[in-house]
Amino acid sequence: MRLLLLFTILSTLLISCGNASSGSGESGTVITISGAGATFPYPYYNIVFRDYMRLHGNATVNYGAIGSGGGIRSLRDRSVDFGASDAFLNQKEIGSMGAEVIHVATCMGGVVMAYTLNEVDSLRMTGPLIADIYLGKIKKWNDPRLVAENPTVKLPDLEITPVYRSDGSGTTFNFSEYLSVVSPAWQRIMGKGKALKWEAGIAAKGNPGVAGIVQQTEGAIGYIGSEYALTLKLPTAKLKNRAGFYVDATLASISAAANVKLPDDMRATITDSGDPAAYPISLFTWLLVYRDQYYDDRTLSDARELVNLLLYVISPEGQKVAAQINYAPLSEQALDKTRQLIGEINWNGEILAPYPPPGNSIAVAVSDSVNVTASPNNGQQ
Amino acid sequence: MNKDSIFRFLLSTAALLVLLFTAGIIYALVSRSTEAFQEYGVWGFVGNAEWDPRSATEEYGALSFILGTLYTSFFALLLCIPFSLAVALFNGEYYKGKKISSAVRSIVDLLAGIPSIVYGLWGFYTLRPLVIALGVSAQGFGIFLSSVVLAIMIIPYASSLSSEFLSMVPNNLKEGAYSLGATQIEVVQYISLPSAGSGIVASYILALGRALGETMAVTMLIGNTNRIPRGLSDTGNTMASVIANQFGEADGLKLSSLIAIGLLLFIITAVINLIAKLIMKKISLI
């Protein structure tokens, strides 16, 4: 595992060297921030961290997409400055971390149902139907229950091929978490987890693997990360949300899922959201950092640079990048709570980004604080 | 030190290093798989077909992957025999030493150089629609598709060694048969094949060893379902493929179980290679 981490970090380092050199015209001490974890937000982090490095010539950010589990382990070993995960830490994991960890939500995503059926260009699905397809109870596309949900569509007399992930994945976790909420049968037989014991269908590795099989197989249906499916413009099913509306997965409908009361520590699952415009399988992804940054041989500048990076990710510029590559931006409430949490991060008792910051609106305050806290660093050089 | 002893020193160090690497690999596999073997016992792990990664009901067994591996590899071996035997006879008997034979040989060897992922893509986009059209299964993936692709992948391994053994059959034996009025096919049937027989068997065993460990192409085509395949048209999973798929997010007992599967695969391939070596050794004694 360590070796894998080292390898990914090394390769990111090699790749990022090319990017960093263009921005680091100014000389001075280089502060390296390293992180590891989830693969789902990797494309987003790749761009937003690069942008950050362009703005802050003295900072280098390395991110190894080794999977959520690996990210959590690396943070626990203190071998990275931040971890990244698609699932928030459960009580057991929180206990094992050794110190309090803060969940910084960075963006949102969804899990979509992609399918391939000739001459069917619109499909409606409900959670219980998806559960029964993957449980092997619904075997044909013209099953009466599917037909009842899609009265205007002519569904063929064709076998359904459900496709799932062969590797452990946060996408599987969120998919099964949602189905556990809406289908008692699913909860009893399958449960939730990053990897499951499947009843029906075939498996492939990663979003590309699942998407490849779905696209190439008439009658296949598969769950895929929204960022991947939206970029590829795959045909996806409308899902019936809790309020009873059939919703397409879009950045707006995924963001809308966060319009529920969120807990102060932001450890929230937002599947099966009650908001009428919400897409039902939506999720947050988080960066994990220690609340007290005064550990090992970390300096104040290290901690400051890390907080600046977090503030940049949730800044309007950072969130705009997310939307450009099909990750849903955080809702107002989520941004506010996250900003508040970043305000708790301290180094030996010194709060690094006080909340509420001086200024009126959050958006202005966030971008202000990036500039303000960035200047002492430049001054040190 | 003179040049000779320096060279000798370098050579023996290099050779020793290779031995150390092998020992290191075995040590890593054994030490990291003990957790799984302690939990289930060796036979409890090998004989259990359950693979349940959910934390509440966690349970790991290797049987479905061992069977999946054996099914695909042996079926691939069966499919490859007519083709590789034909190529071997073409090169080692009928057109031995001719220009056409070396052309065929290089083209067949080219098959061995194609990266496994390319075979996977070809199977996925070209062969799978054919398998669906044949009506083997509704979506094409499974043991049958993987075995066909594996068979093509191992043809060069089986044929090149067998043709070597065929061309090693002493000429005086064959000439004796011809002088007694035997036809070419009778010479092949009664002289060449029997005398090269165990060598040919050995080359097929080596090809089988190659099929057992094949990962990428199989992962793309087998369907990756973690249970015992119920037939040729069913989906399944192999030992190499389950490791490649699940290694990334695995830890604890699951990681140890995956490494244990790696160790089992290592042992199976080692035994197969050993058998092939023994058979070949017997021939050279004759």
Side-chain angles (χ1 to χ4, degrees), chain A residues 291-294 300 343-353:
Chain A
R291 193 169 101 134
D292 187 355
Q293 287 290 306
Y294 189 66
L300 181 59
E344 289 180 13
I345 300 174
N346 64 80
W347 186 83
N348 200 12
E350 184 182 337
I351 297 288
L352 298 168

Side-chain angles (χ1 to χ4, degrees), chain A residues 73 166 189-190 197 203 217, chain B residues 50 54 128 223-224 245 251:
Chain A
R73 275 200 301 279
S166 60
I189 301 168
M190 302 289 287
K197 187 172 182 287
T217 310
Chain B
E50 189 79 2
R54 293 170 297 182
R128 190 171 70 98
N224 299 305
N245 269 305
D251 60 354

Side-chain angles (χ1 to χ4, degrees), chain A residues 96-107:
Chain A
S96 75
M97 296 305 282
E100 199 178 329
V101 167
I102 282 181
H103 290 69
V104 178
T106 55
C107 64

Side-chain angles (χ1 to χ4, degrees), chain B:
Chain B
M1 265 202 289
N2 61 7
K3 261 187 191 165
D4 237 13
S5 57
I6 293 176
F7 189 59
R8 196 191 168 98
F9 171 75
L10 284 176
L11 275 185
S12 42
T13 328
L16 198 71
L17 271 179
V18 174
L19 282 182
L20 274 178
F21 287 143
T22 317
I25 290 171
I26 295 172
Y27 172 75
L29 283 175
V30 170
S31 68
R32 304 206 55 182
S33 59
T34 40
E35 192 186 340
F37 285 127
Q38 268 166 9
E39 176 80 20
Y40 303 113
V42 174
W43 296 115
F45 183 72
V46 171
N48 184 4
E50 189 79 2
W51 184 267
D52 188 347
R54 293 170 297 182
S55 52
T57 50
E58 210 178 26
E59 188 181 350
Y60 303 107
L63 186 64
S64 45
F65 310 117
I66 296 176
L67 289 180
T69 306
L70 295 179
Y71 286 169
T72 44
S73 303
F74 277 99
F75 188 50
L77 190 65
L78 206 68
L79 287 176
C80 108
I81 287 175
F83 301 99
S84 51
L85 202 59
V87 172
L89 284 172
F90 188 94
N91 287 332
E93 182 77 31
Y94 284 75
Y95 292 87
K96 185 176 163 187
K98 301 260 167 60
K99 262 203 184 117
I100 178 99
S101 146
S102 70
V104 168
R105 198 184 294 254
S106 4
I107 290 170
V108 173
D109 284 348
L110 207 62
L111 281 179
I114 297 175
S116 152
I117 183 108
V118 176
Y119 277 107
L121 285 173
W122 176 73
F124 189 92
Y125 288 106
T126 311
L127 211 53
R128 190 171 70 98
L130 288 175
V131 170
I132 296 173
L134 279 175
V136 174
S137 72
Q139 24 69 21
F141 294 103
I143 305 286
F144 181 79
L145 179 62
S146 330
S147 301
V148 171
V149 171
L150 268 180
I152 297 167
M153 293 178 80
I154 62 175
I155 284 177
Y157 295 88
S159 67
S160 64
L161 250 181
S162 332
S163 68
E164 285 303 313
F165 283 112
L166 279 172
S167 56
M168 271 161 55
V169 173
N171 257 337
N172 48 11
L173 279 182
K174 287 196 255 180
E175 277 158 10
Y178 281 125
S179 67
L180 291 172
T183 59
Q184 191 160 20
I185 192 146
E186 281 166 344
V187 170
V188 168
Q189 194 181 348
Y190 296 112
I191 306 294
S192 300
L193 283 182
S195 17
S198 44
I200 294 174
V201 171
S203 60
Y204 280 104
I205 294 176
L206 284 178
L208 177 69
R210 156 93 187 150
L212 288 170
E214 179 47 48
T215 314
M216 200 58 222
V218 174
T219 300
M220 292 173 76
L221 304 173
I222 198 166
N224 299 305
T225 49
N226 303 333
R227 51 179 165 70
I228 298 175
R230 283 175 294 241
L232 283 180
S233 61
D234 198 11
T235 55
N237 211 346
T238 65
M239 301 166 86
S241 163
V242 73
I243 298 172
N245 269 305
Q246 310 210 344
F247 181 69
E249 283 271 350
D251 60 354
L253 189 57
K254 183 176 179 185
L255 184 59
S256 179
S257 304
L258 288 173
I259 294 172
I261 292 178
L263 178 65
L264 291 174
L265 183 59
F266 181 86
I267 294 171
I268 293 177
T269 27
V271 167
I272 294 227
N273 280 317
L274 196 71
I275 295 174
K277 288 263 163 62
L278 284 176
I279 295 176
M280 279 196 280
K281 212 169 171 184
K282 231 173 92 189
I283 306 165
S284 58
L285 286 178
I286 293 169

